[in-house]
Amino acid sequence: MELDRRAVLLDIMSHDDYKPMRIKDIATLLQLDKEAKKELDGILQTLVKEGKVILTKRGKYMLNDKEDYLVGKFISHAKGFGFVDVEGQDDDIFIPGKYVNTAFHHDIVAIELLAESRGQRQEGRVVEVLERGKDTLVGSYEPSDNFGFVRPDNKKMQKDIYVPAGRNMNAMKGHKVVVRLTDWGGEDKNPQGEVIEIIGHIDDPETAILSIVKSFDIPMVFPDDVKAQVKN
């Protein structure tokens, strides 16, 4: 069943008249019920990870017609460059800083291999960010005249996050905060975001622990069934 639907999806997307579509539109086109739509979501995610299909920033699916593209997980370095771990390949692909193309740590990206490499390691460039690893970061807030910055705790994040006026939840210098990215920036442009939570002040002993919890998305509120098990 899944193999048939994979083939159907790839055939549809390869048609000359096909325009990138959202999952709900694809489901409508295929006349799928609610249960089949869940299966469709899983198939599309698999095709994206395999590099056969691209999920655009607008949430639409299209065929990846660049056969020379590879898909993998981006591993960033504090100095600005990175590596892409491609499943099935022994060696990572080195991505020079000028070819990172807004990719962040643990994003799933499509890369193009460069014809010439300066070192022994194969080099490449990011041509598309297919799936963001995360859209929130934990860091220290630094105010300026009419705006602010968040300095990420994770040193693999190379740039500070620019926070426009009115988007800081009244955070002050010394506050640890959670910032949601709204713009991923570029080679010469800082990412932009908004503060969505103030964790606490760095002088508060609990703040360091809470910052780690928030960084790893560890749940602070347990589900009802877990609470019941604890009580018993």
Side-chain angles (χ1 to χ4, degrees), residues 107 132-137 178-182 184 194 196:
D107 286 348
R132 291 294 180 183
K134 204 172 184 183
D135 66 352
T136 59
L137 300 172
V178 179
V179 59
R180 177 188 291 124
L181 293 167
T182 56
W184 300 89
E194 57 183 358
I196 60 173

Side-chain angles (χ1 to χ4, degrees), residues 25-211:
D25 299 318
I26 298 174
T28 300
L29 177 67
L30 297 176
Q31 299 181 339
L32 302 180
D33 57 24
K34 186 176 182 180
E35 193 63 32
K37 185 178 178 182
K38 291 181 181 179
E39 183 182 351
L40 172 66
D41 184 41
I43 295 172
L44 286 170
Q45 289 184 35
T46 299
L47 290 173
V48 169
K49 290 180 179 178
E50 291 177 350
K52 293 182 173 63
V53 169
I54 291 175
L55 176 60
T56 71
K57 294 178 181 178
R58 294 176 178 266
K60 297 182 179 182
Y61 292 91
M62 59 182 289
L63 193 69
N64 181 1
D65 57 359
K66 302 292 185 182
E67 295 181 359
D68 53 344
Y69 286 3
L70 297 175
V71 174
K73 180 181 289 187
F74 181 76
I75 310 298
S76 63
H77 190 280
K79 291 186 177 180
F81 57 83
F83 301 89
V84 172
D85 179 17
V86 179
E87 187 174 353
Q89 292 203 7
D90 294 333
D91 297 322
D92 297 336
I93 309 300
F94 176 71
I95 309 296
K98 63 181 179 179
Y99 294 135
V100 167
N101 189 22
T102 81
F104 268 51
H105 192 53
H106 283 182
D107 286 348
I108 303 299
V109 299
I111 62 171
E112 182 179 45
L113 299 181
L114 299 180
E116 296 183 3
S117 299
R118 292 173 295 177
Q120 295 182 346
R121 188 186 294 268
Q122 173 66 57
E123 296 184 8
R125 71 180 183 91
V126 176
V127 295
E128 182 84 20
V129 176
L130 303 178
E131 181 182 334
R132 291 294 180 183
K134 204 172 184 183
D135 66 352
T136 59
L137 300 172
V138 172
S140 301
Y141 184 75
E142 295 286 343
S144 189
D145 293 337
N146 297 311
F147 55 89
F149 285 95
V150 173
R151 303 189 187 282
D153 286 354
N154 188 339
K155 301 308 178 186
K156 289 184 178 292
M157 305 301 178
Q158 306 96 348
K159 295 181 179 180
D160 296 338
I161 313 302
Y162 170 73
V163 179
R167 299 296 181 92
N168 66 351
M169 289 187 67
N170 297 319
M172 299 182 294
K173 184 177 179 63
H175 272 156
K176 284 285 186 181
V177 302
V178 179
V179 59
R180 177 188 291 124
L181 293 167
T182 56
D183 187 305
W184 300 89
E187 184 179 352
D188 299 317
K189 178 184 175 185
N190 282 64
Q192 182 171 309
E194 57 183 358
V195 175
I196 60 173
E197 182 178 351
I198 297 176
I199 299 173
H201 197 277
I202 56 175
D203 292 338
D204 186 342
E206 292 185 359
T207 298
I209 297 174
L210 289 173
S211 296

